[in-house]
């Protein structure tokens, strides 16, 4: 148990340091990420450009550090919104039951009837390219999992003795939902949210790679990979380093989510 807790604390601290690095990425960037220098186009890694340059002579390291906010913090914002919306919908559906549950779950099933990323691509295509529209499309893609998870957790605890006691004491439904049920189901939902951030980061990068997300000249990892694929043979660093940044962020969030889940499982089994 101590090893599991230590591993979870270590990953949380490591993730926090990573987020702080991203927060100050623009300030610590060695060069201006948007200044072009065609004389240094596709230049290999050097002291001036540690990760090399892209086809326009822009510093890849500076663009990775600057674009991290669009890739990671936008994903965190998306997960926060769908976490709140999906949890509320799941709470209302699970506790309300009857026609309310049926209507909300039918709507959820309609969204889940489509392949998730295809749905996001379709919505982003209709709304038009851009970071805001990409975020909206991903919100439409991810809220359903939280609604279904919250509903299933509510169904597990709604008939517990303490819930019945609160109802018999005259507590209102809203009070029971947010003071008694939600605190007992919030940890599994939060664990799922931490793990989902990595999926959202990949989805955001995928939309930008397809030209439906962040638009040039703004720096973003998926867009950088898309632009660098044309120069894979002559300047492979234009793809390798943005891909590595994407890989590291996904692994950090996945491992942190797994460690937190292990702590909860060990705690539940004691």
């Amino acid at each position: 148990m101590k090893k599991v807790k230590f591993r979870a604390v270590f990953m949380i601290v490591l993730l926090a340091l990573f987020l702080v690095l991203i927060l100050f990425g623009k300030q610590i960037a060695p060069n201006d990420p948007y200044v072009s220098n065609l004389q240094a186009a596709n230049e290999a890694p050097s002291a001036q450009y540690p990760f090399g340059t892209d086809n326009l002579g822009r510093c890849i390291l500076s663009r990775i550090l600057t674009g991290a906010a669009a890739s990671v913090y936008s994903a965190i914002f998306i997960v926060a919104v769908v976490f709140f919306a999906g949890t509320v919908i799941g709470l209302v559906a699970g506790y309300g039951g009857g026609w309310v549950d049926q209507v909300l779950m039918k709507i959820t099933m309609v969204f889940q009837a489509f392949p998730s990323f295809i749905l996001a691509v379709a919505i982003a295509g209709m709304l038009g390219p851009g970071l805001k529209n990409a975020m909206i499309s991903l919100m439409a893609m991810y809220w359903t999992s939280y609604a279904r998870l919250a509903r299933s957790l509510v169904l597990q605890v709604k008939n517990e003795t303490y819930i019945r006691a609160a109802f018999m004491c005259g507590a209102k439904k809203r009070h029971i939902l947010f003071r008694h049920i939600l605190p007992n189901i919030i940890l599994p939902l939060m664990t799922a949210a931490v793990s989902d951030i990595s999926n959202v980061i990949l989805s955001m990068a995928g939309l930008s790679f397809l030209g439906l997300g962040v638009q040039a000249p703004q720096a973003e990892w998926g867009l950088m990979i898309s632009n660098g694929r044309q120069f894979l043979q002559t300047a492979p660093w234009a793809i390798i380093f943005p891909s590595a940044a994407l890989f590291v962020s996904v692994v950090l969030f996945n491992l942190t989510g797994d460690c937190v889940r292990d702590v909860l499982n060990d705690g539940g089994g004691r």
Side-chain angles (χ1 to χ4, degrees), residues 154-196:
V154 170
L155 292 176
Q156 294 177 18
V157 304
K158 67 181 292 186
N159 293 320
E160 294 288 339
T161 304
Y162 66 92
I163 301 297
R164 294 182 179 180
F167 181 76
M168 293 177 65
C169 290
K172 296 182 179 180
K173 288 185 177 181
R174 183 174 61 182
H175 178 85
I176 293 174
L177 279 173
F178 294 102
R179 293 294 299 273
H180 297 287
I181 294 180
L182 182 59
N184 287 282
I185 68 172
I186 193 68
L187 289 179
L189 288 166
M190 291 182 66
T191 303
V194 174
S195 298
D196 252 357

Side-chain angles (χ1 to χ4, degrees), residues 238-249:
I239 287 183
I240 292 174
F241 290 114
S243 300
L246 191 61
F247 173 79
V248 169
S249 63

